[in-house]
Amino acid sequence: MTNLLEARDLKKHFPIHSALLRRTTGHVKAVDGVDVDVIQGQTLGLVGESGSGKSTLGRLLIQLIDPTGGTVELDGRELSGMSERRRRPLRREMQMVFQDPYSSFDPLATVGEGLSEPLVTHTDMTAKEREKKVGELLEVVRLRADHRHRYPREFSGGQLQRIAIARALALNPKLIVLDEPVSSLDVSIQADVINLLQDLQSEFGLTYVFIAHDLAVVRHVSDRIAVMYLGRIVEEGDSDEVYFRPKHPYTKALLSAIPIAHPHERGARERIVLAGDPPSPANPPSGCRFHTRCPLAMQICSLEDPAPFAAPDGSQVACHLHTSGPTLLGAPLVELTQPV
Ligand code: SF4
């Protein structure tokens, strides 16, 4: 398995400006030292609460915004620090689909014009070639070629999200970052869009980063899952390992909030209610950033930032319970990593 994308120590700190003092008074550390590998042809799910930094990380990975620090390599080519002129051809290889399809299109332009836009900017296709390509793209996402004459308001949310996916495909990308692509859709439509994405992945060999707050959806579509909390990845691993055998207390809490359909399984998953809201990313807690809400926090947790621990199953987890914690608690590791 080859990595299509590798990010190392990636950071994005947004300055906080005081109008009164006319200077920068601090920084929101939206992404603060993240390592990510995205395997070619696979889907990496990025999950976390609102404000965890997952959408910012998605934008950093495809260079929609410049990082404050760290590196991103696509297919072995370092992107950070590259001039816009050299980066421009690489942009074709990385596309993004956003949560709200209505805000992705100009309401005054037909969807055909919207789909032609990237072809005009990035290719030397003639008008006739573009028209043919737009028709093909619409058919690829299971719409009709003549839909190109319609306006965005004439489509349902699910249809328009298909068209947004078609536009992402226009330049034959290798990587697509999908930022909450089904969150604004009815549950009945979500499955259609997810099935379409999976079919397109098989057909075109696409690599996805799938961002969502719903771990059940993320598990369904992902090969691997990375869980974010306050600008850091706290757990990363094979999707079934993370879903069925979570190691980090935050992952366990997220999973415990998922409703369980089968009555006989309900008793197996105890609801963990986290105290309070996530702290501000402008002033993250010392040591482990989760210690102010963690039901298993120990003294060491507020003092030392836990280093990522590589578990035997190939997962990575940043929690003292998996390193010094068992010794401190006097409990064997196996008892601390029970499935939720
Ligand atoms: Fe909880 Fe401590 Fe682990 Fe952080 S390091 S998740 S506070 S047990």
Side-chain angles (χ1 to χ4, degrees), residues 40-43 140 142 169 174 176 194-208 221 223:
Q40 181 126 31
Q42 290 199 355
T43 299
V140 159
R142 300 170 194 162
L169 292 173
K174 292 180 177 168
I176 302 182
I194 286 174
N195 289 340
L196 172 68
L197 286 168
Q198 290 180 316
D199 290 348
L200 294 173
Q201 183 169 42
S202 310
E203 192 175 340
F204 299 113
L206 295 165
T207 304
Y208 293 148
V221 300
D223 298 281

Side-chain angles (χ1 to χ4, degrees), residues 87-136:
R87 202 189 285 171
R88 195 177 155 121
L90 298 178
R91 287 197 186 282
R92 299 174 53 145
E93 299 178 24
M94 305 176 290
Q95 297 292 319
M96 189 146 187
V97 173
F98 298 93
Q99 178 176 354
D100 178 9
Y102 289 98
S103 63
S104 305
F105 289 92
D106 177 354
L108 301 177
T110 63
V111 298
E113 289 167 328
L115 286 172
S116 290
E117 226 174 67
L119 302 173
V120 172
T121 310
H122 290 279
T123 74
D124 51 9
M125 282 181 171
T126 63
K128 203 163 178 55
E129 288 168 336
R130 287 199 300 270
E131 189 181 321
K132 183 167 177 281
K133 177 76 177 177
V134 164
E136 288 168 0

Side-chain angles (χ1 to χ4, degrees), residues 202-261:
S202 310
E203 192 175 340
F204 299 113
L206 295 165
T207 304
Y208 293 148
V209 174
F210 190 101
I211 300 169
H213 59 272
D214 184 338
L215 239 171
V217 172
V218 168
R219 182 223 155 205
H220 180 72
V221 300
S222 305
D223 298 281
R224 296 186 74 80
I225 295 176
V227 182
M228 283 195 81
Y229 184 79
L230 221 56
R232 295 263 181 87
I233 289 177
V234 295
E235 178 162 5
E236 192 274 340
D238 173 86
S239 70
D240 279 352
E241 286 298 330
V242 172
Y243 193 81
F244 291 113
R245 288 168 288 280
K247 296 175 180 60
H248 197 281
Y250 178 62
T251 315
K252 290 187 182 190
L254 283 185
L255 279 164
S256 79
I258 299 174
I260 296 174

